[in-house]
Amino acid sequence: MPLYRDFSDDNATILVWKYEESEELDIHELLEPENAEKVKDYHPKKLLEVLMVRKLLKGLKPHSKILYKEREPFLAPKDAEISITHSFPFAAIAVSKNKIGIDIEKFNPKILRVIDKFTYENERGFIPKDNEAAFYTIIWSVKESMYKIHHSKYWSLKKNYEVKPFELKHLHKISCRVYDEQFSDEFKARVEFFDDYCFTIVEE
């Protein structure tokens, strides 16, 4: 299996794979029986993404499964934390000692149509007009990664997740936080670029 990128660090193994048509992915070999019903109506590309993640896991922890609780993935046996993400033809997995969130997004100017859904006007002052799509894609991806660490169906990316101002030349320690009226949890996000994609890592 051709590994596309390795972003591992001292606490986590973080791997990205780019699909090639020559690759064989056997659903009977890779998919957990517990998830058969979940994927039965998936689009073929989405199913490939699911199987790619399982193939990555097999190389790291061959006796582990990815199961779900309230749509959130976890490892069984639960001897490590996990985060997964995919955007065809890419899929990625992170296995860590600590909670971790990863997200992959393709840069697309269409994101400008929905910025009101995940940012407030007072969050946008630092964003240059000539590169808005890149900045908003990064913000979206960082918030998605934080959500995977600190999720709640009652929280919104707009109201409870904040990304502090940053520059494209300093993308490895973007300040961000999850918060409400009672608490604030601070993080540093790491952002990587490849092809036309943004890949974000947030570790506890």
Side-chain angles (χ1 to χ4, degrees), residues 86-133:
H86 33 71
S87 178
F88 196 81
F90 292 102
I93 189 169
V95 178
S96 177
K97 296 182 278 188
N98 305 317
K99 284 189 175 181
I100 187 167
I102 61 173
D103 183 68
I104 185 170
E105 300 289 340
K106 186 168 187 175
F107 289 110
N108 190 331
K110 288 181 180 178
I111 196 167
L112 300 179
R113 301 176 188 172
V114 297
I115 59 174
D116 286 334
K117 293 187 177 180
F118 65 96
T119 63
Y120 287 109
E121 191 170 343
N122 61 7
E123 290 182 90
R124 306 170 194 161
F126 71 97
I127 296 174
K129 293 293 183 186
D130 61 348
N131 207 3
E132 288 181 306

Side-chain angles (χ1 to χ4, degrees), residues 26-152:
D26 185 340
I27 188 170
H28 304 292
E29 175 192 340
L30 295 172
L31 186 70
E32 307 85 355
E34 296 91 335
N35 291 322
E37 187 67 19
K38 177 183 174 69
V39 306
K40 68 181 178 65
D41 295 323
Y42 276 15
H43 185 279
K45 281 187 178 177
K46 187 171 183 181
L47 181 58
L48 280 175
E49 293 169 348
V50 168
L51 297 179
M52 288 163 69
V53 167
R54 269 65 184 175
K55 186 94 171 189
L56 285 166
L57 180 65
K58 288 284 185 191
L60 297 173
K61 298 174 75 66
H63 303 296
S64 295
K65 296 179 178 181
I66 298 174
L67 302 179
Y68 294 85
K69 181 178 180 182
E70 295 176 358
R71 296 171 58 196
E72 293 301 319
F74 67 91
L75 276 182
K78 199 173 189 321
D79 54 0
E81 299 291 338
I82 189 175
S83 184
I84 61 178
T85 185
H86 33 71
S87 178
F88 196 81
F90 292 102
I93 189 169
V95 178
S96 177
K97 296 182 278 188
N98 305 317
K99 284 189 175 181
I100 187 167
I102 61 173
D103 183 68
I104 185 170
E105 300 289 340
K106 186 168 187 175
F107 289 110
N108 190 331
K110 288 181 180 178
I111 196 167
L112 300 179
R113 301 176 188 172
V114 297
I115 59 174
D116 286 334
K117 293 187 177 180
F118 65 96
T119 63
Y120 287 109
E121 191 170 343
N122 61 7
E123 290 182 90
R124 306 170 194 161
F126 71 97
I127 296 174
K129 293 293 183 186
D130 61 348
N131 207 3
E132 288 181 306
F135 276 80
Y136 284 117
T137 302
I138 292 167
I139 291 170
W140 173 269
S141 190
V142 170
K143 290 189 176 190
E144 282 284 335
S145 294
M146 282 193 288
Y147 179 85
K148 291 177 180 179
I149 294 177
H150 240 310
H151 59 270
S152 166

